[in-house]
Amino acid sequence: MQKLLAVLIVFLCCFSSALSSQSTCSTFLTNRTFAWMAVYDNYASAGTASYFSNGTFVTYIGGIVANNGTYSITEKDGWCYELEKYTFPPGSTDTCNTFKICEDTLSIIGCEVFSDKCFASCETEKEWANWYTARVLATNETNS
């Protein structure tokens, strides 16, 4: 219950200042490294993720590559939609992330579905089955 309350507080604070005119979804992710925390299928995990201008990304858990691949981003009505297609590990299911940008805290919060089609928003219990939050750690100058 405390975790849910914390997420709701972050969610409400984020949504009150979400997606200011300073950033678009694409520019907020690209060439940055994030620290993230997520719940997927009732399991919590955390790590880092880096997004590069060549459309690739890599995530780490405990300093070990968890997955990598390509990403594409679209946006509509203040929501960001990021499709991730994995090249590692082999056979991984694509994921689609629906999120909002919290400009004042350099963070994002959203929900995820194991599909190539994102949820339109993160507003129902079903959409929050898999969720995450992330904060900018660094800006990357090169593509890796």
Side-chain angles (χ1 to χ4, degrees):
M1 185 64 171
Q2 289 176 338
K3 288 181 185 177
L4 179 59
L5 182 58
V7 169
L8 288 175
I9 290 169
V10 170
F11 185 77
L12 291 172
C13 293
C14 177
F15 278 52
S16 66
S17 65
L19 199 59
S20 77
S21 60
Q22 296 176 348
S23 291
T24 64
C25 300
S26 179
T27 59
F28 193 80
L29 283 186
T30 302
N31 288 327
R32 287 186 164 167
T33 296
F34 293 81
W36 57 266
M37 194 282 288
V39 173
Y40 300 119
D41 295 328
N42 293 320
Y43 292 97
S45 60
T48 61
S50 296
Y51 295 86
F52 304 101
S53 60
N54 64 1
T56 63
F57 73 93
V58 60
T59 61
Y60 297 88
I61 296 176
I64 299 169
V65 174
N67 56 45
N68 62 37
T70 60
Y71 72 98
S72 59
I73 301 175
T74 58
E75 54 190 280
K76 182 179 178 184
D77 299 328
W79 288 97
C80 303
Y81 306 100
E82 180 213 3
L83 175 61
E84 293 185 349
K85 294 184 174 280
Y86 301 100
T87 54
F88 178 82
S92 294
T93 303
D94 297 342
T95 59
C96 206
N97 302 299
T98 301
F99 64 92
K100 291 271 189 171
I101 296 171
C102 309
E103 191 77 46
D104 55 342
T105 60
L106 292 176
S107 60
I108 60 176
I109 187 167
C111 56
E112 179 176 71
V113 62
F114 295 93
S115 168
D116 61 354
K117 302 217 181 336
C118 286
F119 289 127
S121 64
C122 301
E123 297 173 351
T124 69
E125 186 175 342
K126 175 186 172 192
E127 293 159 342
W128 282 103
N130 298 312
W131 61 270
Y132 61 94
T133 186
R135 186 176 191 292
V136 175
L137 286 179
T139 299
N140 306 315
E141 298 297 326
T142 61
N143 296 333
S144 297

